[in-house]
Amino acid sequence: MATPADLEELTALPETFHIPLLDLGYRPIWDYRRDQLGIQGSHAGALLVDGTWYCPNIPAPLITATADLLNKKIDRTTWRHRVDARPAYRLHPKAAPDQRGARRLLRPAAGTHPTAACPIKPRSLERSRTRRVRGHAAQSLLLAFQLAHANHRKLAAWLDTLQTATQPARRRPTNRYTPNKPGNWTPRRHSTEP
């Protein structure tokens, strides 16, 4: 359960306030000061921006969106658009937190469903046509298109055999193998001469 905390408790020691509060099942919420907005830290290439971990390829205007709003460099609509664009660069949880509360995060350009293109992860730069289609709906739709294309090709081949004003009807060539007559057949290396 998330609970707003008093600003006086921001300076409390973790052992006397934060850890007991977390042990009780509460998640405290605090505001950041103006000088704490933007990039707040980094770890293994990931950037901590306004309390959330992001990919290092997040554009600079998205990093400074809240600071720019408070410094009156942008209006509220522009700020909303920039903040709404951030989730594509947010690091995703890879697994549930362990017993210490540590959590492993996955870059948005990694994994099976990348949400951002990153030059560090070349697979995220691949075009969508080379990626595997996932999900029943997508695979069913792809199968429907393949069947429609096969039917269209077969109908076009059939229409080519019909009689027109300038050319008579023609028979399509058969693809079947025509076997030799049994009377003419002899095994290999067998001579019929005495």
Side-chain angles (χ1 to χ4, degrees):
M1 170 170 57
T3 312
D6 292 332
L7 294 177
E8 294 175 3
E9 293 154 352
L10 288 173
T11 58
L13 296 173
E15 296 80 23
T16 59
F17 180 71
H18 301 90
I19 295 174
L21 194 65
L22 291 171
D23 288 341
L24 291 172
Y26 292 98
R27 274 188 19 221
I29 301 172
W30 292 287
D31 286 332
Y32 291 112
R33 296 187 320 251
R34 285 180 187 237
D35 62 334
Q36 294 176 327
L37 296 172
I39 297 178
Q40 300 165 327
S42 66
H43 177 72
L47 300 176
L48 183 63
V49 178
D50 294 345
T52 306
W53 290 100
Y54 291 98
C55 174
N57 288 334
I58 184 171
L62 302 183
I63 293 172
T64 60
T66 306
D68 289 346
L69 175 71
L70 295 176
N71 294 329
K72 300 196 186 314
K73 291 182 181 177
I74 60 173
D75 62 346
R76 196 159 190 77
T77 307
T78 307
W79 171 78
R80 175 51 54 198
H81 288 300
R82 290 182 183 180
V83 170
D84 288 344
R86 282 182 180 175
Y89 300 94
R90 185 180 306 146
L91 270 62
H92 307 291
K94 190 171 185 176
D98 62 7
Q99 64 273 11
R100 294 179 301 122
R103 183 175 217 168
R104 296 183 65 192
L105 299 173
L106 186 66
R107 294 182 72 165
T112 56
H113 302 290
T115 59
C118 179
I120 298 170
K121 297 282 186 182
R123 185 167 181 231
S124 69
L125 301 174
E126 293 176 1
R127 299 176 80 71
S128 61
R129 62 181 167 79
T130 61
R131 290 194 184 142
R132 182 176 161 210
V133 177
R134 298 181 189 276
H136 294 294
Q139 290 177 353
S140 298
L141 189 63
L142 181 63
L143 177 64
F145 280 125
Q146 288 174 335
L147 289 173
H149 176 70
N151 286 339
H152 183 270
R153 185 175 37 84
K154 289 178 183 179
L155 285 172
W158 175 74
L159 284 173
D160 287 343
T161 64
L162 295 180
Q163 181 177 359
T164 62
T166 59
Q167 114 185 45
R170 60 185 177 87
R171 186 177 177 159
R172 290 190 330 203
T174 181
N175 293 336
R176 294 187 180 174
Y177 170 74
T178 54
N180 293 331
K181 293 181 181 175
N184 297 342
W185 182 82
T186 58
R188 287 185 182 170
R189 297 185 185 158
H190 177 75
S191 174
T192 55
E193 297 176 8

